[in-house]
């Protein structure tokens, strides 16, 4: 977003928007960038245009982080997500200004979206240690055994982020994936992509282990085929997208044996509704594992 005007005679420091991979902020290896304009068409900043190699690096970081994140207690994951809400609250002025300048929101609408994003993080943090009890079960069997089913994370999930509601939509897409212990690679292609890197700075200071969330700015169409065919990506969550892109992603996902889940990308006001948060959004990215235990053993 545009920086405040510097004092007379002083040149302001313009922000450099990089990628977010493994808890760090590297430049794209390709050296390619995209220009971001504000709602009036004025230049704001250059952002990194992620390449196939950047995607591979993000997958490596996510896979490395997955083991430790998935083994943390559900209560601890909830604590860390709540810390994310605290840090987002502390930086809310940055996001409100960005929504107004980049996405053309009114100040009132910007405040409402930031409020929604913060509240949504708190809401999902509360589900961290509850969804297992809701979706797990004790199963009756005709034998002297206890039989338990419980949800476990699938692994590395790529999120093709919503293009509407650049903050509330983004948060709503990430949280259901990571709350159960998955690691995420988020591809952002929206009118206000710098807000995603501002969010990355929130994540980097919120006790979230590096690599649990990786954010790549760029062009969805360029990365979509690589996402679908990458053998070490376990699942894909795609918001919106053209029919041809969805078909190509589903075909590539079938060939590489990964889950591909499609969701709509409604307009910005709709993202603020209560129907855009649900524990059922967690389910596509967990597997029900069943254990048998002899009675009396």
């Amino acid at each position: 977003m545009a920086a405040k005007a510097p004092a007379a005679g002083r040149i302001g420091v313009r922000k450099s928007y990089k990628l977010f991979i493994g808890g760090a902020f590297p430049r794209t290896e390709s050296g390619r960038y995209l220009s971001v304009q504000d709602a009036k068409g004025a230049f704001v900043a250059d952002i990194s245009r992620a390449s196939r190699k950047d995607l591979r690096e993000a997958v490596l970081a996510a896979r490395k982080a997955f083991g430790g994140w998935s083994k943390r207690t559900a209560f601890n994951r909830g604590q860390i997500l709540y810390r994310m809400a605290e840090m987002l609250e502390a930086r809310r002025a940055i996001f409100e200004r960005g929504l107004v300048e980049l996405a053309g929101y009114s100040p009132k609408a910007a405040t409402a979206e930031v409020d929604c994003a913060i509240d949504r993080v708190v809401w999902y943090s509360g589900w961290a240690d509850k969804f297992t009890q809701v979706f797990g079960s004790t199963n009756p069997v005709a034998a002297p055994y206890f039989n338990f089913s419980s949800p476990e994370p699938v692994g590395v999930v790529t999120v093709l982020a919503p293009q509407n509601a650049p903050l509330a939509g983004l948060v709503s897409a990430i949280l259901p994936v990571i709350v159960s212990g998955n690691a995420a690679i988020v591809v952002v292609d929206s009118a206000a992509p710098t807000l995603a890197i501002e969010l990355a700075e929130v994540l980097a200071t919120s006790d979230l282990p590096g690599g649990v969330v990786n954010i790549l700015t760029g062009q969805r169409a360029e990365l979509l085929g690589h996402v679908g065919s990458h053998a070490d990506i376990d699942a894909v969550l795609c918001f919106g997208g053209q029919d041809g892109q969805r078909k190509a992603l589903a075909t590539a996902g079938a060939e590489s044996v990964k889950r591909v889940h499609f969701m709509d990308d409604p307009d910005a006001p709709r993202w603020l509704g209560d129907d855009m948060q649900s524990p059922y959004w967690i389910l596509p990215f967990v597997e029900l594992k069943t254990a048998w235990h002899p009675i009396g053993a």
Side-chain angles (χ1 to χ4, degrees):
M1 73 197 70
K4 291 184 178 180
R10 179 179 177 275
I11 298 175
V13 177
R14 299 300 296 263
K15 189 165 186 175
S16 177
Y17 290 91
K18 307 180 184 71
L19 306 175
F20 183 56
I21 300 175
F25 292 87
R27 299 181 187 275
T28 173
E29 62 82 28
S30 68
R32 301 175 306 163
Y33 296 88
L34 297 169
S35 293
V36 178
Q37 286 80 37
D38 64 18
K40 297 180 181 179
F43 173 80
V44 173
D46 288 326
I47 61 165
S48 293
R49 177 177 171 180
S51 67
R52 181 179 184 179
K53 187 174 186 298
D54 294 321
L55 175 66
R56 292 201 303 265
E57 293 297 327
V59 173
L60 290 173
R63 181 61 63 188
K64 182 178 180 180
F66 168 66
W69 180 241
S70 61
K71 288 181 174 60
R72 286 179 180 252
T73 65
F75 178 72
N76 183 237
R77 287 199 298 269
Q79 288 178 308
I80 291 172
L81 297 189
Y82 190 84
R83 175 64 174 166
M84 288 169 53
E86 293 177 340
M87 298 307 295
L88 188 54
E89 183 78 65
R91 296 167 63 92
R92 64 177 302 132
I94 294 173
F95 292 97
E96 289 176 354
R97 189 167 70 248
L99 287 168
V100 171
E101 295 178 0
L102 296 176
Y105 282 40
S106 68
K108 182 178 180 180
T111 297
E113 181 154 329
V114 175
D115 286 344
C116 172
I118 295 168
D119 293 347
R120 196 145 290 167
V121 177
V122 173
W123 192 86
Y124 276 108
S125 74
W127 275 102
D129 60 354
K130 299 176 181 65
F131 80 93
T132 298
Q133 286 74 25
V134 173
F135 297 118
S137 63
T138 301
N139 309 311
V141 293
Y145 296 95
F146 292 115
N147 184 276
F148 306 98
S149 294
S150 59
E152 296 185 6
V154 299
V156 174
V157 180
T158 295
V159 179
L160 301 174
Q163 296 179 307
N164 299 323
L167 180 61
L170 186 60
V171 167
S172 301
I174 295 173
L175 269 294
V177 171
I178 67 171
V179 69
S180 63
N182 293 302
I185 300 148
V186 187
V187 177
V188 177
D189 181 3
S190 70
T194 58
L195 291 180
I197 304 303
E198 298 286 0
L199 180 64
E201 294 183 1
V202 169
L203 303 180
T205 55
S206 64
D207 301 329
L208 187 73
V212 173
V213 175
N214 306 273
I215 298 179
L216 306 178
T217 54
Q219 295 183 339
R220 175 189 288 202
E222 178 183 351
L223 297 176
L224 187 142
H226 305 313
V227 168
S229 62
H230 199 300
D232 205 27
I233 294 176
D234 300 298
V236 180
L237 171 58
C238 177
F239 286 88
Q242 300 172 356
D243 290 342
Q245 290 180 337
R246 286 190 170 206
K247 182 178 180 180
L249 184 59
T251 301
E255 292 174 349
S256 57
V257 194
K258 61 170 56 69
R259 298 184 181 194
V260 181
H261 187 68
F262 296 102
M263 297 191 70
D264 292 332
D265 183 7
D267 58 18
R270 172 80 188 283
W271 273 108
L272 276 58
D274 288 342
D275 59 333
M276 301 307 289
Q277 62 182 22
S278 171
Y280 289 96
W281 286 30
I282 302 172
L283 280 183
F285 308 105
V286 296
E287 296 177 339
L288 288 175
K289 298 293 182 68
T290 299
W292 296 69
H293 193 280
I295 294 176

